[in-house]
Amino acid sequence: MYARLIGTGSYLPGKPVSNGDLAARGIDTNDEWIVTRTGIRSRYLAEPGTTSSELGLIAAQRALEMAGVAAADIDLIIVATSTPDFIFPSTACLIQGKLGNKGGTAFDVQAVCAGFAYALGIAEKFIRSGSHKRALVIGAEVFSRILDWNDRGTCVLFGDGAGAVVLEASEKPGILASAMHADGSYAGILNVPGQVCSGQVTGDPFLRMDGQAVFKFAVRVLAEIAEEVCACAGMQTADVDWLIPHQANIRIIEATGKKLGIDREKVIVTVDRHGNTSAASVPLALDAAVRDGRIRPGQKVLLEGIGGGFAWGAALLEF
Ligand code: UT7
């Protein structure tokens, strides 16, 4: 029994905000620096009050529509997010309620930018075990809420958005292999080191990052985990039809593709349009490539994510 992907959906809130728009808002930056260092040209920023569950709901509805599955027929909802609506209930339960789905399993996964890869791997295990039949896996983020707009080294990199997929138990191939790893000794290089305590914010509630340390770590482990899932499925990385890496930085994406011997034209890139949307980045890129017809039935697609923790994950899918 496989977990087969039968629908994708995504959503970006509002209008694109260009690099020039950020400079015009008073951030000490410019289009040339951002494009050269990151490949990002624009991002989407949710209106104040718009939440991850609202973005995730729209992406989920679009994925359900493509799959031709009613919300009532979903028995597992996993939401990957680091920017949940509340401390609790989970964003997955909020989306479940908004979809009118009752009684299934619903929970959030916190693995930051690796969240979608983790959630997909977890959903695959539920489905392969036979305990669940149809899963909605969602990555939804409003990262703009945790950005320090006075820190130009981070605030220009991130954006808001959501992506979702529907998985179904099937005898036809679907997810061929998945893997998830973490190394908590790197917690200090990318984090939001704050919390709510006795009604007050304690510590620092903004995203902090050692960009160069993240860069080096990401390229190494994204290549390693891609080799691992391909080996699990008895394939070489060069045999993959499409690579969809975490959409954080074009230089990380290109370095990873090069290390794996995957041609540039087989790598899906959407980071230029929406920046780093954390757990939403991989399903946003996947949905774009499914809807524009690049990903076709029978093809092999390798997805991979990496983020704070450090945590990283990957899945190899047959469409
Ligand atoms: O999900 C994982 C998320 N994280 C990532 O993917 C981040 C990985 N790291 C990176 O992508 C890169 O390290 C960055 C894009 C964050 C930074 O690029 P860099 O080549 O490592 O630049 P840097 O931090 O060494 O900064 C170089 C210069 C500095 O100026 P000085 O000290 O050389 O005068 C910065 O102050 O660039 C300056 N700078 C900027 N200039 C214009 C930093 N941010 C900006 C900015 N606009 N937004």
Side-chain angles (χ1 to χ4, degrees):
M1 187 60 73
Y2 290 96
R4 185 169 171 78
L5 195 152
I6 57 167
T8 64
S10 62
Y11 179 68
L12 291 162
K15 294 201 175 90
V17 176
S18 71
N19 297 336
D21 293 337
L22 291 185
R25 289 179 188 188
I27 296 167
D28 181 14
T29 190
N30 56 77
D31 181 60
E32 199 263 332
W33 190 95
I34 301 175
V35 172
T36 314
R37 307 275 176 144
T38 73
I40 298 167
R41 293 182 185 276
S42 60
R43 74 283 298 139
Y44 293 75
L45 304 174
E47 289 293 322
T50 299
T51 63
S52 287
S53 74
E54 288 167 353
L55 307 187
L57 174 68
I58 299 172
Q61 287 167 330
R62 291 177 176 174
L64 287 167
E65 192 185 351
M66 185 190 287
V69 167
D73 294 331
I74 294 291
D75 54 9
L76 173 64
I77 300 176
I78 309 181
V79 176
T81 186
S82 300
T83 47
D85 294 23
F86 304 120
I87 291 174
F88 69 81
S90 70
T91 305
C93 284
L94 296 174
I95 292 178
Q96 186 202 28
K98 289 173 188 183
L99 285 170
N101 175 286
K102 283 183 194 288
T105 307
F107 60 91
D108 287 1
V109 164
Q110 220 292 31
V112 202
C113 305
F116 184 77
Y118 263 63
L120 201 65
I122 295 164
E124 183 214 357
K125 290 178 196 332
F126 273 71
I127 289 177
R128 283 185 96 123
S129 76
S131 67
H132 292 70
K133 294 269 173 290
R134 278 194 205 92
L136 244 181
V137 180
I138 303 165
E141 302 279 16
V142 283
F143 248 55
S144 57
R145 305 291 150 71
I146 52 169
L147 298 177
D148 176 355
W149 293 99
N150 293 311
D151 176 9
R152 66 177 182 168
T154 55
C155 70
V156 303
L157 305 176
F158 296 89
D160 303 333
V165 301
V166 179
L167 294 177
E168 185 174 63
S170 170
E171 283 171 13
K172 276 171 71 182
I175 299 180
L176 303 175
S178 64
M180 297 167 231
H181 298 292
D183 183 344
S185 69
Y186 286 88
I189 63 172
L190 176 56
N191 53 30
V192 180
Q195 59 176 302
V196 175
C197 181
S198 306
Q200 305 289 320
V201 172
T202 61
D204 178 355
F206 296 118
L207 183 149
R208 303 297 175 200
M209 178 172 72
D210 175 345
Q212 290 182 2
V214 169
F215 195 106
K216 285 187 205 130
F217 190 90
V219 174
R220 176 170 65 81
V221 299
L222 285 173
E224 282 172 7
I225 200 168
E227 306 268 10
E228 179 187 344
V229 288
C230 286
C232 250
M235 281 176 54
Q236 307 287 322
T237 52
D239 301 334
V240 163
D241 293 298
W242 296 105
L243 173 67
I244 308 187
H246 174 42
Q247 304 290 312
N249 182 314
I250 191 66
R251 293 188 297 145
I252 296 179
I253 293 172
E254 284 174 350
T256 305
K258 199 166 160 200
K259 236 178 159 178
L260 293 171
I262 297 179
D263 295 344
R264 175 68 191 78
E265 56 276 12
K266 289 162 81 179
V267 182
I268 308 288
V269 175
T270 53
V271 67
D272 53 322
R273 286 203 307 123
H274 54 64
N276 183 348
T277 56
S278 186
S281 97
V282 169
L284 271 161
L286 172 65
D287 185 47
V290 166
R291 285 180 191 265
D292 68 20
R294 272 178 291 175
I295 296 178
R296 295 191 306 277
Q299 289 190 325
K300 309 266 192 329
V301 178
L302 176 56
L303 313 176
E304 46 180 2
I306 177 153
F310 249 70
W312 61 105
L316 179 67
L317 291 85
E318 182 169 327
F319 271 71

